[in-house]
Amino acid sequence: MDHTESAPLMLRAGDLTPVWYEGVALWLIRLDHRRVRSQASCLSDEEHRRSASFRFDKDRQRYLAAHVALRERLAVFVGCPPEQLAFEVGEHGKPRLAKGSSGAARVHFNLSHSEDLALVALSEEEEVGVDLEVIRAVEDAPALAASVFGVNERRVLSELSGAQRDRAFLQGWTRKEACLKALGTGLSLSPLGFEAGLQDTVAEVVIDTPRYRERLALRSLAVGGPADTETPWVGAVARRLGRA
């Protein structure tokens, strides 16, 4: 993994214009359940069925709000009403625009949400992946690290404790997850098979998949503003660069 030191890319919830990074448009969206009642009609029956599977109403409402936000932004890129967008899933479950849909061949997207924030990424160039996590205590972090982090990542984590360790763990996890989502493999590809780092670095990550060796550009994200001393969320964006 090649990397250079860099501050994480700052995003602020509620900004109407996206933050651009290497051809990827990024929006951070505060999920408002009040809008869902008037906007949810644009969602498909499948999206409504998935929302109904959540146990708690707040989680159902956040799911619906996140998918409304995704459709609204995709519709602008593609040039059609949000309700006309049709989706399908790839081999490992990553959503994409259905073949034959307007823009299906040129618009790539990804969505992540945590608590009451959603992160949407759109690209007209390459596949993209994002992940967002609220900072929280990570129970049994050392044991969990053994199942997701490589040797160097575990060494860095072992030198930290308390809140610093929790933040580093979650930051490292978002970096791994963003890479796997960009490849479209999800956890069918072991996170132990590559290192993405725990620090705020811009990195080029090389991952061996069952078929090819893939290259990805990776950057950490922070949520908040310049006055914040500690942002409550961490995130990451990964963009597929092609085969190594």
Side-chain angles (χ1 to χ4, degrees):
M1 177 182 66
D2 296 327
H3 64 86
T4 57
E5 295 299 325
S6 175
L9 188 66
M10 182 65 71
L11 301 178
R12 295 180 180 84
D15 284 354
L16 297 179
T17 56
V19 172
W20 287 88
Y21 171 66
E22 298 288 338
V24 179
L26 297 161
W27 287 268
L28 188 69
I29 301 146
R30 184 77 64 183
L31 300 177
D32 184 352
H33 68 275
R34 293 169 297 183
R35 292 188 64 238
V36 172
R37 298 186 183 94
S38 60
Q39 301 292 331
S41 60
C42 74
L43 300 177
S44 67
D45 291 342
E46 177 62 22
E47 286 167 311
H48 282 286
R49 279 194 294 270
R50 285 182 176 272
S51 73
S53 68
F54 289 96
R55 180 179 179 184
F56 298 108
D57 182 65
K58 67 177 182 179
D59 295 323
R60 291 192 290 270
Q61 297 303 315
R62 286 169 176 169
Y63 175 92
L64 293 172
H67 283 256
V68 167
L70 172 64
R71 279 181 174 266
E72 289 175 339
R73 284 149 184 83
L74 264 176
V76 173
F77 262 56
V78 171
C80 75
E83 63 272 14
Q84 291 184 12
L85 294 169
F87 299 96
E88 61 186 17
V89 295
E91 179 182 358
H92 299 290
K94 183 179 181 179
R96 63 192 180 199
L97 288 172
K99 292 180 181 178
S101 298
S102 176
R106 64 177 178 84
V107 179
H108 309 281
F109 66 91
N110 203 226
L111 168 68
S112 180
H113 56 94
S114 179
E115 297 291 339
D116 63 343
L117 286 184
L119 177 60
V120 171
L122 301 181
S123 172
E124 293 184 297
E125 297 178 7
E126 292 288 352
E127 289 285 357
V128 62
V130 290
D131 194 47
L132 181 69
E133 293 285 346
V134 65
I135 297 175
R136 60 192 183 277
V138 180
E139 301 295 335
D140 298 324
L144 288 173
S147 64
V148 296
F149 293 135
V151 173
N152 294 322
E153 293 164 331
R154 293 198 302 272
R155 177 184 54 78
V156 171
L157 201 66
S158 70
E159 296 170 354
L160 304 173
S161 62
Q164 282 189 323
R165 185 180 65 187
D166 293 335
R167 184 185 180 91
F169 183 101
L170 292 166
Q171 182 163 270
W173 174 249
T174 62
R175 290 169 69 89
K176 293 252 185 179
E177 182 76 357
C179 289
L180 294 173
K181 291 174 76 176
L183 292 179
T185 64
L187 292 176
S188 67
L189 188 67
S190 172
L192 289 172
F194 66 99
E195 294 206 356
L198 310 184
Q199 298 94 343
D200 292 333
T201 57
V202 176
E204 182 175 308
V205 180
V206 177
I207 302 177
D208 288 316
T209 73
R211 296 178 181 174
Y212 308 108
R213 172 168 286 189
E214 299 278 1
R215 295 167 50 244
L216 300 104
L218 174 65
R219 186 165 185 181
S220 289
L221 305 173
V223 177
D228 295 325
T229 56
E230 192 75 5
T231 57
W233 278 266
V234 289
V237 54
R239 181 173 67 90
R240 187 173 176 270
L241 297 175
R243 297 170 191 168

